[in-house]
């Protein structure tokens, strides 16, 4: 009996060790092409399904077809993937193919008449990401943003993104930089700088995202000129087991006067807009 147990332990040990191994892979946001990371089991391909509920939908500081109130409660369903394309001599993943498809649904308004009326947003982004050094991630991305119910036009964007994350110094602040050019749609260029310092409280991660963005040369629409916004808030993420996680976030979005006026009549024109999100992520 002891011999059989010993043999079984020897066979299961490599599997258990592999299951315990974790690696960090990059993820990219469909709205603004900002980079992040997630911890996943060792392997060549990883996928995540996420579901979030928001009190409204604002992208890069501007109204995005759903106001910041409780009247329609937009729900977003996203499929995220990351594939390891190359590893270094030590076996650490360095080159990735990453992407995300995010789809927004809400109670339709009177002017949303094309079926399916509730499906107002479908954003897809694909990127080639490279980690040349520990904590540093760069990516070249291309996104297509469409409205299945026809409430908005289709736009294409090309982005370059950089993120650095470390345990101390500038890495503790987790700086993000994004430059985006709209290749189809209204045109223009968008630039973003952000910080997201975080602390661990047991298994819970508490972060304070801070972002400033500028849309140049009519990025926010014809004759919109150069428009600015900034956002700040608190995000709390907690693991639920089997690599699933729950995140709650609240942001305060401040826009310049012209950008606020561009949101009328559908969106809020207040100087500061509150945006709250509750999100569940489950690996597949």
């Amino acid at each position: 009996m002891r011999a059989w147990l010993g043999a079984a332990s020897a066979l299961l040990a490599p599997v258990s060790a592999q299951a315990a191994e974790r690696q960090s892979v990059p993820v990219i946001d469909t709205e603004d092409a900002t980079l992040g990371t997630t911890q996943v089991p060792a392997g060549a391909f990883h996928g995540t399904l996420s579901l979030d509920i928001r009190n409204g939908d604002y992208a890069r500081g501007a109204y995005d077809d759903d106001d910041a109130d409780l009247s329609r409660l937009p729900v977003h369903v996203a499929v995220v993937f990351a594939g390891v394309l190359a590893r270094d001599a030590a076996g650490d993943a360095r080159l990735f193919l990453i992407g995300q498809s995010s789809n927004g649904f809400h109670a339709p308004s009177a002017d949303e008449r094309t079926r399916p009326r509730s499906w107002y947003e479908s954003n897809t982004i694909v990127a080639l990401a490279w980690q040349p050094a520990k904590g540093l991630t760069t990516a070249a991305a291309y996104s297509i943003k469409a409205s299945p119910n026809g409430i908005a036009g289709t736009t294409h964007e090309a982005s370059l993104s950089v993120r650095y994350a470390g345990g101390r110094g500038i890495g503790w602040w987790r700086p993000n930089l994004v430059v985006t050019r709209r290749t189809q749609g209204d045109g223009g260029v968008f630039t973003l700088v952000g910080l997201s310092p975080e602390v661990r409280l047991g298994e819970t991660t508490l972060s304070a995202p801070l972002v400033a963005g500028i849309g140049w040369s009519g990025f926010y629409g014809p004759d919109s000129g150069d428009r600015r916004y900034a956002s700040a808030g608190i995000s709390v993420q907690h693991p639920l087991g089997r690599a699933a996680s729950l995140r709650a976030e609240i942001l305060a979005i401040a826009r310049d006067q012209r950008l606020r006026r561009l949101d009328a009549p559908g969106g809020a024109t207040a100087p500061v807009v509150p945006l709250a999100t509750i999100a569940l992520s489950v690996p597949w």
Side-chain angles (χ1 to χ4, degrees):
M1 178 63 71
R2 290 182 179 179
W4 279 104
L5 290 175
S9 299
L11 288 172
L12 292 174
V15 177
S16 301
Q18 184 178 7
E21 290 179 359
R22 309 286 288 180
Q23 65 178 346
S24 177
V25 299
V27 293
I28 191 163
D29 188 80
T30 61
E31 295 286 11
D32 55 20
T34 50
L35 286 165
T37 59
T38 184
Q39 293 292 318
V40 298
F45 182 84
H46 305 278
T48 302
L49 179 67
S50 69
L51 171 72
D52 73 61
I53 300 176
R54 315 174 187 181
N55 69 316
D57 194 357
Y58 279 68
R60 291 181 284 214
Y63 173 69
D64 197 22
D65 302 318
D66 208 323
D67 198 5
D69 59 34
L70 300 179
S71 61
R72 295 198 284 176
L73 279 179
V75 174
H76 284 73
V77 179
V79 178
V80 185
F81 71 86
V84 178
L85 300 181
R87 299 178 182 271
D88 60 18
D92 295 325
R94 292 300 183 195
L95 186 65
F96 306 83
L97 179 66
I98 59 175
Q100 178 172 325
S101 176
S102 178
N103 298 272
F105 305 86
H106 64 190
S109 61
D111 55 347
E112 292 174 313
R113 299 176 181 176
T114 303
R115 295 182 181 274
R117 293 181 62 211
S118 296
W119 187 7
Y120 75 97
E121 180 178 80
S122 181
N123 298 340
T124 301
I125 189 169
V126 176
L128 189 65
W130 180 41
Q131 292 183 333
K134 185 177 180 180
L136 178 63
T137 305
T138 64
Y142 197 84
S143 61
I144 300 175
K145 302 182 178 183
S147 238
N149 68 2
I151 195 64
T154 298
T155 61
H156 292 213
E157 297 175 358
S159 302
L160 293 175
S161 306
V162 180
R163 180 179 187 263
Y164 180 61
R168 60 183 65 183
I170 190 173
W172 182 82
W173 293 93
R174 287 166 171 74
N176 244 310
L177 173 65
V178 181
V179 178
T180 296
R181 180 172 182 81
R182 186 164 285 158
T183 58
Q184 179 179 318
D186 293 325
V189 174
F190 176 79
T191 55
L192 175 148
V193 293
L195 303 172
S196 187
E198 65 180 40
V199 295
R200 296 291 298 274
L201 303 174
E203 293 185 337
T204 302
T205 301
L206 177 66
S207 60
L210 174 64
V211 168
I214 304 177
W216 307 87
S217 304
F219 185 84
Y220 285 101
D223 303 319
S224 62
D226 301 337
R227 304 271 59 88
R228 300 166 178 80
Y229 86 98
S231 66
I234 295 293
S235 179
V236 180
Q237 185 164 328
H238 186 78
L240 298 179
R242 293 186 178 274
S245 66
L246 183 67
R247 177 176 61 89
E249 179 181 82
I250 184 165
L251 300 175
I253 306 172
R255 298 88 57 74
D256 67 25
Q257 186 176 13
R258 178 68 182 277
L259 186 54
R260 300 199 308 267
R261 290 203 302 266
L262 289 173
D263 280 352
T269 56
V272 178
V273 175
L275 189 62
T277 304
I278 298 177
L280 173 67
S281 297
V282 181
W284 52 272

